Amino acid sequence: MTDPLSQVIALLQPRAVFSKPISGAGRWAVRYSAFGHPSFCTVLEGSCRLAVDGHRPLTLEAGDFLLLPATPGFIMSGFEPATPERIDPKLTPAPTAEVRHGTRGGRPDVRLLGGYFVFDSPDANLLVSLLPAVMHVRGVERLSLLVRLVGDEAGQRRSGRDLVLTRLVELLLIEALRSTPGEDTPPGLLRGLADPRLAPALRHMHAQFARPWTVAQLARTAALSRSAFFERFTGAVGLPPMEYLLAWRMAVAKDLLRREDLGLTEVAERVGYASASTFSTAFSRHVGQAPSRYARAP
């Protein structure tokens, strides 16, 4: 059966943009304003503190991996009090060498490899809303290895670099998502998949999203009453079942309209509509413009 996480990653269309080594020593602190694009880092050695806006502070240690799918504002610092240096990543040119905070020279207290990438999906906001805002994973060597491979590839100009970076970032996202305990996450896809009753329903919805599902049918796949399923799904995923299914169908439709040379009738059939006119009405209501106009947009 289709894996929902793999489908989300494929529709997000990630591509790597930038990677850099970071270190800090002595008294140091930096305040990054909200960035919007996904960012990541792995701690190579030492430790530091991280306070992401709206979330409890974290201590990052050697071997830790961090992913911020939408990168809100945050403060990264050492453990001694320091006034944060303010940095706006949208205005500051991307450095080409290691970024050093605090005391210059000498052995650093912490070394990290970090970077950011972008999602090419026009539905990135919807899909990112299904993921945890902060993914902090400890002790998964595969993630650290993938980040190092991203850093190595980003620093070279070898043939096939862009494709290799795209595939590495896809692997990084999938590994981070399946290494994050779903039960402890806020409402979203991970939390829904971590629920043994809801997971089968979510997998059926993703595997057969063109099927004319009803809440009662999905409730049966979860072995729950209709009302219990509706409440449990809405609480865990953050959207009622039919709203989630509609949002997913529209995300797939956008991808088909933008990336494939398909007629409106075929797109409609692929996402579960009996006619192009019915699909066009639903798409226009959901997206705010007709599918034909959306397909022609740059």
Side-chain angles (χ1 to χ4, degrees):
M1 191 174 292
T2 304
D3 173 30
L5 289 183
S6 298
Q7 283 191 324
V8 168
I9 299 306
L11 273 193
L12 279 169
Q13 302 168 40
R15 59 181 173 88
V17 173
F18 180 67
S19 179
K20 65 181 182 297
I22 307 162
S23 62
R27 291 178 181 270
W28 67 277
V30 287
R31 164 76 189 182
Y32 278 84
S33 56
F35 184 42
H37 295 305
S39 60
F40 62 90
C41 77
T42 188
V43 184
L44 302 176
E45 63 177 80
S47 58
C48 65
R49 287 180 59 81
L50 177 76
V52 178
D53 291 357
H55 298 268
R56 59 180 180 81
L58 300 170
T59 296
L60 302 181
E61 301 175 353
D64 284 10
F65 171 83
L66 182 82
L67 174 66
L68 305 175
T71 312
F74 66 87
I75 295 175
M76 183 177 284
S77 68
F79 295 96
E80 299 182 49
T83 301
E85 172 192 357
R86 292 187 173 273
I87 298 174
D88 186 341
K90 295 179 180 177
L91 302 177
T92 305
T96 56
E98 178 175 318
V99 177
R100 181 63 175 259
H101 300 300
T103 306
R104 308 294 174 182
R107 185 177 180 82
D109 299 323
V110 65
R111 288 180 59 243
L112 311 97
L113 184 62
Y116 69 87
F117 49 94
V118 297
F119 292 133
D120 281 343
S121 169
D123 253 346
N125 289 339
L126 163 70
L127 299 170
V128 166
S129 72
L130 300 174
L131 308 178
V134 178
M135 282 184 263
H136 177 214
V137 182
R138 178 157 287 168
V140 178
E141 175 58 28
R142 288 159 63 96
L143 283 166
S144 298
L145 174 60
L146 285 167
V147 174
R148 288 195 290 269
L149 287 172
V150 169
D152 177 66
E153 192 66 33
Q156 307 293 325
R157 288 290 171 183
R158 292 176 286 206
S159 299
R161 171 182 179 270
D162 291 345
L163 180 60
V164 170
L165 282 172
T166 296
R167 294 294 177 260
L168 285 173
V169 168
E170 288 177 349
L171 289 170
L172 194 67
L173 280 166
I174 291 171
E175 193 65 44
L177 287 166
R178 66 185 186 184
S179 299
T180 302
E183 307 88 351
D184 303 327
T185 62
L189 184 59
L190 282 189
R191 188 160 156 190
L193 290 172
D195 186 316
R197 290 291 185 91
L198 298 180
L202 278 163
R203 293 193 179 100
H204 276 89
M205 291 168 80
H206 277 258
Q208 304 174 59
F209 57 84
R211 178 175 168 176
W213 290 105
T214 65
V215 174
Q217 290 171 331
L218 291 167
R220 283 196 290 274
T221 70
L224 293 168
S225 69
R226 185 184 181 284
S227 59
F229 172 76
F230 183 91
E231 291 180 13
R232 191 157 167 168
F233 189 101
T234 304
V237 179
L239 288 171
M242 292 299 101
E243 284 189 31
Y244 179 87
L245 181 60
L246 173 63
W248 184 252
R249 284 174 171 170
M250 292 299 118
V252 173
K254 285 182 179 180
D255 188 58
L256 293 173
L257 289 166
R258 282 282 177 88
R259 300 177 66 190
E260 297 191 29
D261 187 20
L262 300 176
L264 200 58
T265 299
E266 187 171 352
V267 173
E269 289 175 353
R270 287 200 187 188
V271 296
Y273 289 85
S275 69
S277 60
T278 305
F279 165 68
S280 183
T281 300
F283 188 94
S284 300
R285 186 184 300 120
H286 186 83
V287 178
Q289 58 181 306
S292 55
R293 182 179 177 187
Y294 179 87
R296 293 194 303 267

